[in-house]
Amino acid sequence: MLGGVGGFTYFSLIPEHYFGGYPLIPVYFYLFGVFNIYMFDACRKYAPDKMLLLYLAMKVLKMILSIIVLVVYCIVVHEEARAFLLTFIANYLLYLMFETSFFASYELNKKRLKKNKIKDETVA
C-alpha cells in the first residue's frame, strides 16, 4: 500500500522527482515481508521460544541487505542515487515502525493469552 501511495505521489503530484528505480523499493520490501512471514510462521511452529531471537536476526539481515542494495544501486545508477536513497530510507523507516508495532502487539497478545491460560488452570 505504501508503495502504491508513494508511486502515485511521485508520478502524478511531483513527476520531476519520480525516478526509474522507484518500483524496486516496494518490491524489495514486499519480498522481504513475505520472507519474514514464512520465517516467523516456521519459528512459531517449531521453536516458539526463539521468536525474539529470530526477530532480531531478521532486523540485522534486513539492514545488511538494505545497505547492499543501496550501495549497488548507487554504484550502478549515479543520476538517480540521491532520490533513491531518500525514498528507500523513508520506506525503510516506515516499514520498520509498522513491523515493530505489529511484533510488539503480537508478543503482548501472546503474553496476555498465556497469563489468562495460567489463571484458568489455577481456577479449575
Side-chain angles (χ1 to χ4, degrees), residues 40 43 49-59 103:
F40 285 124
C43 186
D49 55 326
K50 303 288 186 192
M51 192 73 95
L52 183 60
L53 181 63
L54 176 67
Y55 175 77
L56 294 174
M58 295 303 286
K59 296 290 127 217
F103 189 75

Side-chain angles (χ1 to χ4, degrees), residues 95-109:
Y95 183 78
L96 183 65
M97 287 187 301
F98 168 74
E99 196 174 51
T100 302
S101 66
F102 174 79
F103 189 75
S105 66
Y106 173 81
E107 285 297 316
L108 287 173
N109 190 34

Side-chain angles (χ1 to χ4, degrees), residues 29-123:
F29 286 106
Y30 175 76
L31 292 176
F32 205 87
V34 169
F35 178 67
N36 272 342
I37 290 168
Y38 284 116
M39 292 299 292
F40 285 124
D41 190 42
C43 186
R44 183 182 54 82
K45 287 179 185 174
Y46 302 113
D49 55 326
K50 303 288 186 192
M51 192 73 95
L52 183 60
L53 181 63
L54 176 67
Y55 175 77
L56 294 174
M58 295 303 286
K59 296 290 127 217
V60 170
L61 179 64
K62 185 172 89 169
M63 184 179 290
I64 292 169
L65 284 177
S66 296
I67 290 170
I68 291 170
V69 166
L70 289 173
V71 168
V72 168
Y73 189 88
C74 289
I75 289 172
V76 172
V77 184
H78 298 285
E79 306 83 42
E80 302 171 346
R82 184 175 176 191
F84 184 81
L85 282 170
L86 293 173
T87 306
F88 191 93
I89 291 169
N91 278 276
Y92 184 92
L93 293 174
L94 289 169
Y95 183 78
L96 183 65
M97 287 187 301
F98 168 74
E99 196 174 51
T100 302
S101 66
F102 174 79
F103 189 75
S105 66
Y106 173 81
E107 285 297 316
L108 287 173
N109 190 34
K110 185 177 163 184
K111 187 183 274 188
R112 196 175 308 121
L113 289 174
K114 188 176 183 179
K115 192 175 187 180
N116 287 341
K117 184 179 178 183
I118 291 171
K119 235 186 230 184
D120 290 343
E121 288 175 358
T122 308
V123 173

